[in-house]
Structures are given as structure tokens and as C-alpha cells.
Amino acid sequence: MCGIVGYIGTQAATEILLAGLEKLEYRGYDSAGIATVWEGEVNCVRAKGKLHNLRSKLEQLENPAQIGIGHTRWATHGKPEEYNAHPHLDTAMRVAVVQNGIIENYRELREELKQKGHEFRSETDTEVIPHLIAEFLKNLPASSSSSPFLDAVRQAVNYLKGAFAIAVICADYPDELIVVRQQAPLVIGFGQGEFFCASDTPAIVAYTRAVLPLENGEIARLTPLGVEIYNFAGDRLKKQPRMLNLSPTMVEKQGFKHFMLKEIYEQPGVVRASLEAYFTNIEESSESPINLGLPREFYADLAQIQIVACGTSWHAALVGKYLLEQLAGISTQVHYASEYRYAPSPLTPNTLIIGVTQSGETADTLAALAMEKERRQGQEPQYQARLLGITNRPESSLGLMVPHIINTLAGIEIGVAATKTFIAQLMAFYALALDLAAHRQTVPLEKLVEIINGLRQIPKEIEATLEAQESLTEHLAHDFAETKDFIFLGRGINFPIALEGALKLKEISYIHAEGYPAGEMKHGPIALLDAKVPVVAIAIPGSVYEKVISNAQEAKARDSRLIGVTPVNDGEAAEIFNDLLPVSSVDELLSPILTVVPLQLLAYHIAARRGLDVDQPRNLAKSVTVE
Ligand code: G6P
């Protein structure tokens, strides 16, 4: 988390850096800062809180500098105070650094540097970097290289342990911006006589679409004349930028009050795009009507699937488990990546390992996959890693790590709470499970066709749900704006949707909410229920409908106000539930793509009514690049 940007060129850097940071605020927003080099000095301005605080400070200053770096922070080491905000400087204030990541050996380095006379001003791990660079600059023999600054940064990063991306400027080298990537994302943008760097592409897409994502262990030297890339040993590497398929308008609100609401409304389009990309015309297909571009050997003798993910992606994976087991008949386990990396399941043969991460940058998910890859290396062929990534950012670190990707087609998501990327992940799991079912012949072709035809109806059902529910959820939000606790119930394929509904509410409205499998309620959570605790139950006709209705009755008997996410014309439901968030009658198997929508809207409207910052909820970050 944390976002970094950098600029070198012919325009005033400050506004470009601020505009870039605005697009990266989703990565952290507890403080921000900018450093530039002008008239032989580093100018550094930092402010606690959201970016507008920094902007107002900068408005009072005239600064024509054409080189600079910026940072938006999600605190890891040290409180979110101005003195801990980046950029950090060395003692003489000649070197300025912004960092995204964690320097694990900062304590030892700090002690060593203190003994050499360096004065520290913050509690952060990052501050060791400018001091270390200054130390190397001081000790470099004169005329030792064509770029002493680059050399000093290179030597310094060889001492750093951890996962990080940094951008560095120095008052003595006003025409050089040095950037480094080591297991935290960093992309370079190529303009005409101007160059950019950022943690993520939305920060630079307004200026250029020619980008080069750095790889781990690479250092780039940006000057007004061009970009040179090196490895940590100092060898020059040949690399070319590529064109990005992302327009600046895709990262605007387009009339919606919040990005989250816009992204909820984009969901029918996401489902349509996924249908078009993953499913071929049934008549044309031979073995399988699904096209994910995965090689045949990937599926051969498949015995088991292990999925690692975090947060909302973990919920999508739980729906995936249901589909993979029920449709393709493959035993599937879903793990929190942060747990799996330290306590993996015993090695099993013929196992597909799937990492699900919308950002492709979640540190725990990447580490769990790296661990799995490593422990399978050198094993018998049947134990070798078959790795698959499901991500919305194929150009991410995940994309570099795994050989096969299912690209989810949500487009860029800015709201910190995931909505359309969740639906896109569900679509990827439907395609994967159906493809496996086709290859393994666990579902007859006619049934497959029926399911795919059902999926094709979903976009218009989401549209109808959105139209019907906007005012209903707004109305409910009015009643529940002050509620302290919520329970969400679902069963079977809709249990993960109960979890997701509760997570959305927690994340953006700060209301305590729990998602439970409806049948488990009586084993504990029922003790929480009374008239002050509303219960949202997802009740879709199918295998567990009556069971969910009975569980809902149990809640009602304890005075809870009952809200039903259930089909429009269901008489029984209308009698039991106090409030309805009606959805169309769809096949239970497909229902999660629909039932999640009213829960997203409910969370959105409650948070909006509480006057909260829906797109940037407190303490969260969209992309969690630390353990
Ligand atoms: C953060 C975000 C969540 C997200 C999770 C996993 O916690 O706030 O919205 O679900 O990371 O992110 P990923 O990019 O791996 O899907």
C-alpha cells in the first residue's frame, strides 16, 4: 500500500505529482508529501490527513521545479503524523526518498547509520534509505562513474531487505530521478522529453499511455533525455515500453457521487464483457463452449484445487469452490493467503493452485503462491506447481509470477471497497468450473448450454435489480443509519454472499456486521439477536430455500427486523420478511451474481447517509502490499 509518483521533464512537477497522487489515494490516505529539486535545494512539503491538506499547503508556494517525487501513505511504521509522512530526507537534506513497502532490516541499518553521525527525524523504516544513499554518495570515489547518484542508490538497495519500491531525487543531481522495484509495484511512463513513475498506471495515464512496468530487482535512471534500466548488479538491460489500454475517462466519476456507486452500476457491462470473452458460440465449439486460453495439460488428471486469496477475493473463491466441486467434481480448498503461507496443506499430486487477487499485488497472496511454487520445485512431475492467477490487473506482480492468468474484465476499480471486480471474479469462476466440467464430462452438454444461457440473462437482471433497488435501499438506509450491529445469513452458494454483504457494510459504514451460514446461527450468533439487530437473509428458491426461511423465522422469533433478498413474487417470503430487497427468480446456481447487488447498494446507501467517505474508508487500502 502507499502510492508513489515521480516526474522529470519540462513542466512544473508539483501539479503533475498532486494529480498523480489523487489517483493513488486508494492505496493509502493518512498523510501525503512532495519533494522537488529547485535552485540546488530539495524542497519538501508534507501534510497529515487527506491529500487536500497537502494541496492547500502547496498552493501558497511558488515552485517551478521540473523534477519531483510524491507519496500518499498508509501507515505501517510510525503514526500517521506529519513527521512520519514521506518524502524522507538524509541529515544534510540533499537526498529525498519515497517508498512503498517495508524495509525489514531498518533497525540494524538505523543503528549503524546513527553511529556514523546520521540524524533521524521520524519513526519510519523508510528514513534509513536517504541516509544510506547519502552515506554511499559521500564515500564514492570522485569520477568513479558516469552517474554517482545511480551508483549510490544501487549500492544502498543492495543493503535493504524486504519488499519495496522507491523513488529518489538528490539536490546535487537535479537531472536524475532514480526508481527501484523489489517486490512492490512500479511502472515507468514515457512522454515526449518527460518521464513519470508511479505505483499504478492511473496516476500517469492522463500524460502518457506508453508504460514499462519494472520487474523485481530493477533500477531505472530517468533523465530528461530518456530512461535507462539496470539490474542490482549494475548491468544495463534492454527494455521497451508498451501501450496501455486505459483511457483517462475510465478513472473519472462520470456524474456519480462516488466511484463505488459508478462501479456498482458498471456491473451489467462487466458481466457482458466476461460472457463475450470467456464463452464461445455453442454451435462452433467442439469439446467445450468455454475459452480461457488454458493449455490442455493444465487439466490433465486434476485431483485437487487449492485457492489462496484475501478479503473480497476470498469470498469470490468460496463461490468458486462451490462451483468447482458441484459442477466439475473436484475437491477444492480455499485458504486465507496470510494463513496458508505459514501453514500450507500437505503436498498433494496433480493439484491446481489458484491465486485470486483483483490488484495482483496483495503481498500475502503473492507470498503464498511463491511459497507453493518453491516447495514444489524439484519434486516428482505430478507434484510440480500448476499455477493459475485470477486478476483484474494482468500486468501486475501476479502476472509476472504465474504462467497462466484468467483476466477478469472489470476495468479499473477506484473505490476501495471491491464491487465490480468481485462480480468479474465470479464470472471467471463460472467459466473455469464450466470448462473443467466440460473437459471432465461431469455435466451433460445440454445442461452446460442451459447454464450458459442463464448467465446470458444476468446482465439485464442486474439492470432490473439496480433500477428497482436504488430507492428501496436508500429508504432502508434511512432506517438503519444508526444501527450498531447487523447479521447476514445465506446458505450454500449464497453463504459467501452473506460474508461479502457483511464485509461491504463493515468496510464503508463502520457498522459491525457478521456473515453466517444460516444453519449455524443457532450455534452462537442467535444469542446476539433482539429488536436492535436486523438480519438480512438471502433466500433463493432451490436446494436450501426452506431451510433459510426457517432460519429467518428463528431470527424473527427473537424480534429481529428481517430483510429478505429473495425473488419478487414470492408470497411466503413477503409474509415473513419485514422488508424485501427483491431480485428476479434465477437459477440458484447463478444467483450470487445477482444477490450481491442489493447488499452492495445497502452498504453504499447506509455509508452515504452516515456522511462517510465511501470511496476511501478509514484505515483501509485497496492494494495491500505489506504482510
Ligand atoms: C484489501 C482491500 C479489499 C480486497 C483485499 C484483497 O483489503 O481493501 O477490498 O478485497 O485487499 O485484495 P486483492 O487485490 O488481492 O483482491
Side-chain angles (χ1 to χ4, degrees):
M1 36 249 285
C2 297
I4 64 178
V5 286
Y7 174 79
I8 185 162
T10 50
Q11 304 184 58
T14 306
E15 189 47 47
I16 294 173
L17 295 172
L18 276 174
L21 288 179
E22 255 162 35
K23 299 285 185 270
L24 294 180
E25 251 195 317
Y26 72 85
R27 301 178 70 87
Y29 30 81
D30 58 40
S31 55
I34 276 178
T36 54
V37 174
W38 174 242
E39 294 184 328
E41 303 286 335
V42 169
N43 287 289
C44 184
V45 182
R46 305 179 298 181
K48 185 180 166 180
K50 292 267 172 94
L51 198 58
H52 54 82
N53 295 349
L54 177 67
R55 186 177 273 286
S56 0
K57 265 190 165 179
L58 285 163
E59 265 159 17
Q60 297 146 28
L61 307 167
E62 180 88 7
N63 186 350
Q66 295 167 348
I67 176 171
I69 53 178
H71 189 268
T72 178
R73 181 167 186 247
W74 186 88
T76 58
H77 294 64
K79 283 185 177 168
E81 294 292 344
E82 188 176 318
Y83 63 88
N84 283 326
H86 300 216
H88 290 287
L89 277 68
D90 67 313
T91 314
M93 308 213 315
R94 308 297 290 166
V95 179
V97 172
V98 288
Q99 193 234 160
N100 166 213
I102 289 182
I103 307 303
E104 287 167 1
N105 58 338
Y106 81 102
R107 280 196 193 84
E108 301 108 83
L109 292 172
R110 193 175 161 116
E111 283 318 305
E112 277 173 36
L113 287 159
K114 270 185 177 171
Q115 277 166 22
K116 289 183 176 152
H118 291 261
E119 286 165 29
F120 283 77
R121 307 178 188 96
S122 80
E123 298 155 349
T124 66
D125 53 333
T126 304
E127 199 186 349
V128 296
I129 309 173
H131 290 282
L132 200 56
I133 295 170
E135 187 65 24
F136 281 112
L137 272 173
K138 192 171 75 187
N139 293 322
L140 275 180
S143 75
S144 64
S145 99
S146 58
S147 173
F149 181 30
L150 172 71
D151 274 1
V153 176
R154 191 173 58 74
Q155 293 195 39
V157 295
N158 276 297
Y159 274 78
L160 303 178
K161 290 197 182 125
F164 54 86
I166 60 173
V168 195
I169 52 172
C170 177
D172 302 308
Y173 301 93
D175 291 330
E176 293 178 60
L177 164 62
I178 312 286
V179 300
V180 184
R181 176 194 161 120
Q182 179 65 339
Q183 287 168 6
L186 199 85
V187 60
I188 296 176
F190 291 67
Q192 297 290 328
E194 55 180 3
F195 301 92
F196 309 79
C197 72
S199 300
D200 197 0
T201 43
I204 54 180
V205 74
Y207 309 101
T208 179
R209 307 244 188 111
V211 298
L212 175 67
L214 279 191
E215 290 188 37
N216 291 334
E218 290 183 349
I219 306 184
R221 175 172 175 257
L222 282 58
T223 72
L225 300 177
V227 176
E228 300 154 14
I229 318 263
Y230 300 86
N231 61 21
F232 280 14
D235 308 315
R236 179 108 185 241
L237 309 171
K238 277 215 164 111
K239 298 224 157 183
Q240 291 299 325
R242 57 184 175 74
M243 294 310 283
L244 198 69
N245 185 17
L246 177 71
S247 77
T249 53
M250 286 157 97
V251 286
E252 300 300 337
K253 282 193 202 136
Q254 296 171 354
F256 284 90
K257 196 165 168 215
H258 294 101
F259 278 111
M260 182 179 174
L261 192 60
K262 173 189 165 228
E263 287 156 2
I264 290 172
Y265 272 81
E266 282 172 348
Q267 294 181 123
V270 172
V271 177
R272 283 194 182 99
S274 315
L275 284 164
E276 206 163 295
Y278 304 150
F279 297 95
T280 52
N281 267 337
I282 290 146
E283 300 73 49
E284 290 168 18
S285 71
S286 49
E287 206 174 342
S288 165
I290 296 109
N291 178 19
L292 292 171
L294 299 174
R296 196 56 38 101
E297 24 340 325
F298 217 65
Y299 292 161
D301 305 321
L302 203 57
Q304 213 186 105
I305 298 179
Q306 304 280 359
I307 311 181
V308 291
C310 306
T312 290
S313 297
W314 187 77
H315 296 158
L318 288 179
V319 176
K321 170 187 162 74
Y322 187 100
L323 297 170
L324 290 161
E325 291 190 334
Q326 304 308 317
L327 292 172
I330 305 177
S331 164
T332 303
Q333 275 90 50
V334 180
H335 308 272
Y336 284 121
S338 55
E339 292 292 318
Y340 191 74
R341 59 185 294 197
Y342 296 113
S345 315
L347 269 193
T348 48
N350 301 323
T351 304
L352 174 64
I353 297 119
I354 308 179
V356 190
T357 160
Q358 81 79 21
S359 63
E361 300 294 351
T362 299
D364 285 318
T365 308
L366 295 179
L369 291 172
M371 180 277 294
E372 193 65 27
K373 200 170 166 180
E374 202 187 314
R375 74 171 177 149
R376 285 176 180 272
Q377 240 156 34
Q379 302 278 348
E380 307 268 295
Q382 70 271 28
Y383 286 94
Q384 298 282 311
R386 295 186 205 180
L387 289 179
L388 173 67
I390 297 183
T391 185
N392 204 41
R393 307 298 295 271
E395 75 285 9
S396 63
S397 303
L398 178 81
L400 296 172
M401 180 188 275
V402 302
H404 302 289
I405 286 280
I406 302 181
N407 188 6
T408 57
L409 299 159
I412 199 105
E413 186 176 70
I414 305 286
V416 164
T419 52
K420 62 174 180 168
T421 53
F422 175 70
I423 289 238
Q425 289 170 341
L426 295 187
M427 290 304 291
F429 273 116
Y430 279 98
L432 181 65
L434 290 169
D435 197 27
L436 272 163
H439 282 97
R440 294 162 66 88
Q441 300 182 338
T442 47
V443 174
L445 190 63
E446 312 80 72
K447 178 70 185 162
L448 275 183
V449 170
E450 192 188 312
I451 297 172
I452 296 171
N453 285 340
L455 281 170
R456 292 194 200 283
Q457 303 309 311
I458 295 285
K460 68 175 179 16
E461 303 297 2
I462 303 179
E463 272 156 5
T465 304
L466 286 169
E467 204 183 314
Q469 307 240 338
E470 183 71 59
S471 61
L472 276 177
T473 45
E474 243 185 302
H475 172 75
L476 282 184
H478 173 263
D479 291 4
F480 293 126
E482 301 307 322
T483 300
K484 299 263 182 301
D485 305 278
F486 257 91
I487 300 283
F488 289 75
L489 300 177
R491 272 183 106 132
I493 199 167
N494 275 301
F495 160 52
I497 302 305
L499 292 177
E500 178 61 8
L503 181 66
K504 287 291 86 92
L505 191 65
K506 277 185 272 208
E507 282 181 314
I508 60 170
S509 72
Y510 318 147
I511 291 175
H512 169 240
E514 306 241 12
Y516 256 92
E520 269 295 299
M521 189 186 62
K522 55 188 174 293
H523 299 295
I526 199 162
L528 297 170
L529 299 186
D530 62 22
K532 291 198 200 112
V533 183
V535 171
V536 181
I538 307 164
I540 300 297
S543 60
V544 287
Y545 180 63
E546 278 78 23
K547 310 278 174 209
V548 176
I549 295 287
S550 306
N551 300 140
Q553 298 268 29
E554 291 154 15
K556 197 169 184 184
R558 272 84 190 170
D559 295 331
S560 286
R561 181 159 159 189
L562 270 189
I563 302 140
V565 177
T566 196
V568 191
N569 299 319
D570 192 295
E572 190 180 357
E575 273 173 33
I576 295 160
F577 291 106
N578 302 93
D579 303 277
L580 287 181
L581 290 175
V583 288
S584 327
S585 304
V586 286
D587 186 338
E588 183 189 18
L589 190 76
L590 309 181
S591 62
I593 323 174
L594 206 54
T595 51
V596 74
V597 176
L599 303 187
Q600 295 168 337
L601 279 176
L602 183 65
Y604 170 79
H605 283 298
I606 292 179
R609 181 159 277 272
R610 284 160 73 91
L612 298 171
D613 191 341
V614 173
D615 287 331
Q616 293 176 351
R618 71 183 179 201
N619 303 341
L620 297 181
K622 188 154 189 72
S623 173
V624 181
T625 55
V626 295
E627 252 195 73

